[in-house]
Amino acid sequence: MPQSLGYAAQSADADLATITFERRDPGPDDVLIDITHCGVCHSDLHQARNDWKNTVYPCVPGHEIIGTVAAVGSAVSKFKPGDTVGVGCLVDSCGTCAHCDEGLEQYCDTGATGTYNGRLPDGSHTFGGYSQRVTVKESFVLRIPDALDRAGAAPLLCAGITTYSPLRHWKVGPGQRVGVVGLGGLGHMAVKLAKAMGADVVLFTTSPGKIEDAKRLGASEVVISKERDQMKAQRHRLDFILDTVAASHDLNPYLDCLKVNGSLVLVGVPEEAHPSPSVGRLLSRRRSIAGSAIGGIAETQEMLDFCAEHGIHSDIEMIAMSEINAAYERMLRSDVKYRFVIDMATLA
Ligand code: NAP
Ligand code: ZN
């Protein structure tokens, strides 16, 4: 079996450190991938530190994987050695339920298998992309268009699809004013994607230092969310808001910004629940609050092709594998511009 070096958390309060483990030999439907880059998602930090109380250790995070095909199984037809490929948050699902049939593997009735911390039939669990190589079923491997740069494409595999999917589902487009809350990994992709879809984008941030960047990335207005007057000026103006914040916060000020029939869609997964929102604010303008999880494989490919067509990459800061613990601390201080990507060559 192929050996892989990786970086793992051994407990909730331990720094990530080197681990050696085995990847499975590629079966007939499998692709063995040499990983070159892996994006750093806030979910990696939540999972490594057991914020969601479901982490199995050792935990090798990483679900924004870019690499080169090293070998393929006998039944693989879409990929060949040397191809540039991607792997996102999922590596398997039942393949037979109504949701899998529809290409919504993330909502698989029996639970899709996460790229890390995912349960395997033999009782073991999956290890993610902070590693040298990975074996993945062909149907969960993505084609990376030639027009995309490898490092800048890595974050598309989670941050990109997690924002693209709700923007598409809620039919964001020209003539709409769309709010994005939080300018981090997900938020900066949401700004770029919503703008490319033709919407007018209003960015809500807690960081005054990000105003210029938000405008460069595509926001036409930037609101400092702690400033009551600035929040008040957005009342009843927005059709849709995507909230990417990783911490518990009051949703009511954002509900106030929505028009009649507007939707506030949550993609951030805070450790503590948000305070319960006001029913009056919901019913007085028939507003909705909803959630959305990543995206299916077909939609992830569609998003990658959309990004290639529109010249969209993530704004990244490349780090060495050994810098991951410091990167997590910076992420907790909202000090990322706007996604860390690990250069996996630094792991060897
Ligand atoms: P990130 O890069 O850390 O960005 C989060 C941003 O939220 C920060 O940059 C900051 O932006 C803002 N923020 C942080 N703390 C805040 C606070 N206390 N109050 C208000 N704003 C705050 O994180 P990410 O990788 O984008 O992930 C964001 C969340 O989405 C995480 O919880 C992650 O687990 C979750 N996630 C969900 C899915 C899904 O399928 N739904 C997929 C991936 C990730 P400003 O400086 O602009 O305020
Ligand atoms: Zn993620």
Side-chain angles (χ1 to χ4, degrees):
M1 283 202 274
Q3 291 264 317
S4 182
L5 208 57
Y7 247 55
Q10 297 286 352
S11 70
D13 49 13
D15 276 352
L16 274 69
T18 308
I19 186 176
T20 304
F21 58 96
E22 282 174 348
R23 293 296 192 182
R24 69 173 186 269
D25 282 322
D29 299 322
D30 283 335
V31 179
L32 176 66
I33 301 164
D34 287 335
I35 300 173
T36 58
H37 300 85
C38 187
V40 179
C41 181
H42 205 113
S43 299
D44 300 354
L45 185 163
H46 287 304
Q47 198 75 67
R49 298 189 176 180
N50 201 21
D51 285 349
W52 300 325
K53 312 292 178 236
N54 66 354
T55 305
V56 193
Y57 294 97
C59 172
V60 178
H63 58 204
E64 294 183 338
I65 299 170
I66 296 277
T68 307
V69 173
V72 296
S74 56
V76 169
S77 60
K78 286 195 297 186
F79 302 105
K80 59 179 188 321
D83 287 352
T84 302
V85 292
V87 179
C89 304
L90 302 176
V91 289
D92 209 353
S93 70
C94 83
T96 57
C97 75
H99 306 298
C100 287
D101 260 2
E102 258 190 281
L104 296 171
E105 295 90 350
Q106 75 274 34
Y107 304 125
C108 174
D109 277 344
T110 54
T113 308
T115 301
Y116 57 81
N117 209 60
R119 231 174 324 137
L120 292 168
D122 67 358
S124 64
H125 63 280
T126 53
F127 290 143
Y130 295 6
S131 57
Q132 287 174 310
R133 51 187 59 91
V134 63
T135 309
V136 181
K137 220 176 177 176
E138 174 183 28
S139 49
F140 286 80
V141 178
L142 284 310
R143 191 176 40 74
I144 302 301
D146 291 340
L148 292 180
D149 163 71
R150 280 183 179 233
L156 303 180
L157 277 319
C158 175
I161 184 59
T162 301
T163 52
Y164 182 91
S165 184
L167 291 170
R168 282 293 191 224
H169 182 77
W170 274 271
K171 300 186 169 45
V172 162
Q176 291 186 346
R177 194 177 288 122
V178 165
V180 173
V181 187
L183 196 67
L186 267 56
H188 93 290
M189 289 312 309
V191 171
K192 290 186 186 207
L193 291 167
K195 165 91 175 168
M197 290 173 189
D200 188 30
V201 182
V202 179
L203 187 271
F204 296 84
T205 181
T206 59
S207 307
K210 294 181 182 174
I211 294 174
E212 289 316 310
D213 279 346
K215 291 190 172 159
R216 174 180 57 79
L217 295 167
S220 56
E221 296 173 61
V222 183
V223 175
I224 304 300
S225 51
K226 293 170 195 155
E227 301 288 341
R228 287 179 68 142
D229 289 353
Q230 292 190 29
M231 289 299 287
K232 234 173 156 180
Q234 296 295 329
R235 273 167 70 91
H236 311 164
R237 284 187 83 225
L238 304 181
D239 299 282
F240 175 89
I241 301 177
L242 194 65
D243 186 332
T244 74
V245 173
S248 170
H249 61 280
D250 187 3
L251 302 178
N252 289 326
Y254 297 105
L255 287 176
D256 283 337
C257 298
L258 291 172
K259 294 178 182 170
V260 170
N261 291 333
S263 298
L264 170 62
V265 176
L266 309 176
V267 288
V269 191
E271 185 178 351
E272 306 288 342
H274 298 304
S276 186
S278 130
V279 174
R281 282 179 168 89
L282 289 169
L283 61 81
S284 63
R285 284 189 152 65
R286 198 163 62 188
R287 293 159 167 147
S288 309
I289 299 180
S292 182
I294 49 174
I297 299 302
E299 194 174 43
T300 304
Q301 190 64 60
E302 177 189 307
M303 176 274 310
L304 289 166
D305 296 343
F306 179 91
C307 288
E309 190 187 326
H310 290 82
I312 295 176
H313 287 91
S314 171
D315 283 31
I316 66 144
E317 182 177 337
M318 193 93 91
I319 59 168
M321 188 70 257
S322 59
E323 294 174 302
I324 189 66
N325 297 301
Y328 279 2
E329 293 309 316
R330 281 185 53 194
M331 195 183 259
L332 285 173
R333 297 195 299 268
S334 303
D335 174 25
V336 193
K337 290 186 172 172
Y338 279 89
R339 196 61 139 187
F340 293 118
V341 171
I342 304 160
D343 174 0
M344 216 45 75
T346 63
L347 178 59

